[in-house]
Amino acid sequence: MKITMLYGGQSAEHDISILSAHNIVQQIMFDVYTVQPIYITRQGKWIKGPLLEEPSAFPEQLRLSSAQVESWCDNEKGSSTGININPGDIAEEDTVVFPILHGPNGEDGTIQGFLEILNLPYVGAGVAASAAGMDKIISKNLFERAGLPQVPYIAFDQREWQSDKEDLIARSEGSLLYPLFVKPANLGSSVGISRVTDSSELVEAVELALQFDRRIVVEQGIRAEECEVAVLGNDDAHVSVVGQLVKQSDFYNYDEKYINNTVEMQIPAEIPDHIASQVQDYALAAYRAIDCSGLARVDFFLTNKGDIYINEINTMPGFTQYSMYPNLWLGTGLSQRDLIDELIQLALRRHERNS
Ligand code: ADP
Ligand code: MG
Ligand code: MG
């Protein structure tokens, strides 16, 4: 069986995707699978790489350089056929696609829809769950219906902002306490997100967020620890131990989170058992609320009073050797090799049921 790794991509999380792909290839059981890398450039060009039959065939030096990945794929295959490779090149017999892509056009249902049309099994959530998980407004609505506790927030769109900015500022300040977090509805990796402490910053932050999306969320900021849980499975999903981010600042931006590795993980989190099991229950409820399958990482805030709030669900979490998702499973007793194999089996099982 062949695993087609789709990685890179047009989102801000391009580099993390390459690191994740590299890590996954190192862990794949090459006695059972071969790997077909397909690299998506930042401009959206798909490039097919050489078929890999051993982990070292994905060279270490390609880990962080998209230019190197691009020329590696190009040289080996000799065909960079423009915007898209022929879909028939992906839709081969006995293929499972592993779309290790984050953010818009990767984690939001678009690539999943494309793979559905090709009738291919793929790792991770389906179309609707991916779209719902990526959209912070839709997911908040679903979480609310599932009875999950969330920080107070308001949501609005560009049209409302342009027609009555003052009213939206008054509504934010009337129902939420500073500091506030302003977020575009559809992004990840902290892109376009600001933490603000007064009205003038709020206006700037909304205008910034509107550059990334037409729809905006303004949330009450809370002083809290951040805890994360890994979920794995289809209808039979189960949860990992709870992990905690050891924070040195109030807000992590992309570089701090992913490039500088300044965020340490504590696995398992040092929290009381009853809190941990509540967090795990919420994680599973969130997973079901968006009808997720395959995998997800569910993120929470935990205050020092013991209050738990769900923050978000990520349907294709980072998968580098330092990432929370695989390390949560390691801390639960599941090796990366077995985890990756399980993800492939889950993809096949869902495909069989749906087709
Ligand atoms: P993304 O999908 O980009 O990861 P998040 O909603 O997780 O967006 O926000 C990014 C980070 O910002 C969080 O991990 C947390 O550190 C901080 N943050 C976001 N919302 C809040 C909030 N309401 N209160 C406190 N910190 C927050
Ligand atoms: Mg996210
Ligand atoms: Mg997040």
Side-chain angles (χ1 to χ4, degrees):
M1 174 156 280
K2 189 187 287 183
I3 300 171
T4 296
M5 297 289 299
L6 280 180
Y7 65 104
Q10 291 180 271
S11 82
E13 292 145 299
H14 184 97
D15 288 344
I16 198 85
S17 168
I18 297 175
L19 294 174
S20 295
H22 182 271
N23 177 50
I24 290 166
V25 170
Q26 302 316 301
Q27 304 294 336
I28 278 173
M29 298 177 179
F30 276 91
D31 44 342
V32 187
Y33 306 109
T34 56
V35 172
Q36 175 60 65
I38 294 181
Y39 171 63
I40 304 175
T41 69
R42 286 179 199 279
Q43 290 71 37
K45 186 168 81 173
W46 292 39
I47 306 176
K48 198 168 178 175
L51 186 72
L52 311 181
E53 300 195 5
E54 54 177 21
S56 59
F58 194 132
E60 175 75 12
Q61 65 268 29
L62 295 179
R63 285 198 325 142
L64 240 189
S65 158
S66 47
Q68 278 175 312
V69 182
E70 184 161 1
S71 74
W72 175 63
C73 288
D74 255 337
N75 289 340
E76 297 288 339
K77 179 72 183 172
S79 74
S80 64
T81 49
I83 300 271
N84 276 327
I85 63 173
N86 183 349
D89 280 356
I90 316 168
E92 290 165 308
E93 292 282 296
D94 267 351
T95 302
V96 179
V97 179
F98 199 139
I100 183 75
L101 299 160
H102 311 296
N105 286 340
E107 196 178 350
D108 62 352
T110 51
I111 205 81
Q112 289 74 14
F114 175 64
L115 297 170
E116 292 286 345
I117 297 289
L118 295 178
N119 195 26
L120 288 171
Y122 55 91
V123 171
V127 176
S130 300
M134 183 91 265
D135 189 303
K136 293 189 195 301
I137 299 175
I138 294 177
S139 54
K140 278 177 189 297
N141 285 330
L142 294 171
F143 294 160
E144 201 166 308
R145 289 195 53 162
L148 296 168
Q150 308 186 66
V151 296
Y153 69 95
I154 66 166
F156 53 85
D157 64 22
Q158 191 164 26
R159 193 179 38 90
E160 292 170 273
W161 177 254
Q162 275 155 5
S163 70
D164 204 347
K165 206 180 286 189
E166 270 65 43
D167 175 56
L168 284 171
I169 295 168
R171 263 174 57 203
S172 306
E173 294 183 339
S175 55
L176 312 170
L177 297 169
Y178 284 109
L180 303 179
F181 279 79
V182 180
K183 309 178 180 182
N186 271 285
L187 267 180
S189 300
S190 304
V191 176
I193 297 185
S194 316
R195 177 181 184 273
V196 300
T197 53
D198 63 38
S199 320
S200 71
E201 284 180 9
L202 175 60
V203 173
E204 269 176 50
V206 172
E207 313 255 310
L208 172 76
L210 282 172
Q211 291 175 19
F212 297 95
D213 198 348
R214 298 165 25 253
R215 286 154 67 251
I216 303 294
V217 182
V218 178
E219 270 177 37
Q220 182 160 311
I222 51 166
R223 193 166 265 285
E225 300 295 334
E226 291 184 61
C227 291
E228 308 192 331
V229 182
V231 188
L232 175 66
N234 295 341
D235 291 342
D236 57 345
H238 44 285
V239 290
S240 72
V241 294
V242 180
Q244 187 172 347
L245 301 178
V246 183
K247 296 199 287 184
Q248 325 284 350
S249 84
D250 283 344
F251 170 46
Y252 284 104
N253 65 25
Y254 182 80
D255 282 3
E256 282 166 337
K257 257 189 191 160
Y258 301 113
I259 306 297
N260 306 332
N261 268 324
T262 45
V263 185
E264 272 175 56
M265 300 176 293
Q266 169 79 46
I267 299 173
E270 287 170 353
I271 54 176
D273 286 350
H274 73 279
I275 302 256
S277 71
Q278 182 67 267
V279 167
Q280 288 169 316
D281 289 350
Y282 286 158
L284 216 44
Y287 197 78
R288 298 211 172 104
I290 68 161
D291 188 30
C292 203
S293 52
L295 76 164
R297 196 193 71 224
V298 190
D299 299 349
F300 295 89
F301 297 122
L302 180 61
T303 70
N304 60 11
K305 287 193 310 194
D307 294 327
I308 305 164
Y309 300 94
I310 186 165
N311 175 31
E312 62 158 348
I313 186 165
N314 295 287
T315 54
M316 191 52 84
F319 218 117
T320 76
Q321 69 192 109
Y322 305 110
S323 296
M324 197 54 134
Y325 188 84
N327 282 295
L328 283 170
W329 282 116
L330 212 53
T332 311
L334 184 63
S335 72
Q336 279 211 70
R337 275 175 86 77
D338 290 337
L339 169 61
I340 289 163
D341 197 47
E342 177 66 13
L343 287 168
I344 293 163
Q345 299 308 321
L346 287 167
L348 291 169
R349 289 211 289 275
R350 189 191 51 203
H351 185 68
E352 275 161 24
R353 284 194 47 187
N354 291 348
S355 54

